[in-house]
Amino acid sequence: MERLQKILAQAGVASRRKCEELILAGKVEVNGEVVTTLGTKADPDTDIIKVLGKRISGENKIYILFNKPKGVITSASDPKGRKIVTDYMKGIKERVYPIGRLDYDTEGLLLLTNDGEFANLLTHPKHHVPKTYLATVKGIPHGTSLDKLKDGIKLEDGMTAPAEVEYKDIDEDSKESVISITIHEGRNRQVRRMFEAISHPVIRLKRISFGDILLQNLKRGSYRHLTKDEINGLKQLAMAGLAKGNNTRKDT
């Protein structure tokens, strides 16, 4: 017997938090009865569990690394009819969804899964999973400007956590710089807003790593399955980040 929201998340319905919202909204049935109480337990092997009238089944869990092209929506659908990331998931029968987001103009490493608990583990802000980007920016930022990003910079939604920043390339002719930046948060358009805050707007942005997973030479628009070691490594990294955060709060 397991908590209903955990069963739903493991079946790939959504993150555990979203599954709790579905339960509270009366969208979940167990053996023909609507359940609205969080913490209700069920047996996924013997109970008939339905969400929005559709019975859930124990899908095979899959974990995908995708090289998202620029101009593709990080979503399972788009009312405007634009290309979405799942358009590239040819041969994937399971319903997968992105872990976090890359905006329309950003390319690079994106993870997708049908494991809601895994997705929640990697995106929860308490777990501090690092993500690294290559940002091509206008101008050549002085070291003092980059230090602001390293220390944390104030945005309209609050201070950012300290980032790891270093020069990768400088083109003095075109007055552009390529800078590597690693962040541990997932705010909307965060990297772009950070560079705008130091007056060096982003021209191109590419995510090259998520935790210990590297994009490497995966072709744009292509995907591959994560290995068991990669999956376990991400889980361990997220839990280590949570433990580190808890210890830091105790020390302060």
Side-chain angles (χ1 to χ4, degrees), residues 160-214:
T160 66
E164 299 167 34
V165 186
E166 64 175 305
Y167 284 109
K168 286 298 182 181
D169 193 20
I170 295 174
D171 188 335
E172 294 185 354
D173 293 332
S174 61
K175 295 183 178 179
E176 295 177 1
S177 308
V178 179
I179 297 170
S180 168
I181 178 168
T182 300
I183 62 174
H184 298 78
E185 302 169 285
R187 305 189 202 180
N188 185 41
R189 298 177 68 84
Q190 180 175 339
V191 172
R192 293 180 185 275
R193 291 191 289 133
M194 290 173 72
F195 280 104
E196 286 172 3
I198 61 169
S199 301
H200 290 279
V202 170
I203 302 168
R204 291 182 296 277
L205 188 61
K206 182 178 183 178
R207 185 155 70 189
I208 58 171
S209 74
F210 193 120
D212 294 330
I213 307 299
L214 304 178

Side-chain angles (χ1 to χ4, degrees), residues 121-123 126-129 233-243:
L121 184 68
L122 295 186
T123 54
K126 290 183 179 179
H127 295 163
H128 306 286
V129 178
L234 284 171
K235 290 179 178 179
Q236 291 170 9
L237 185 63
M239 295 311 297
L242 176 60

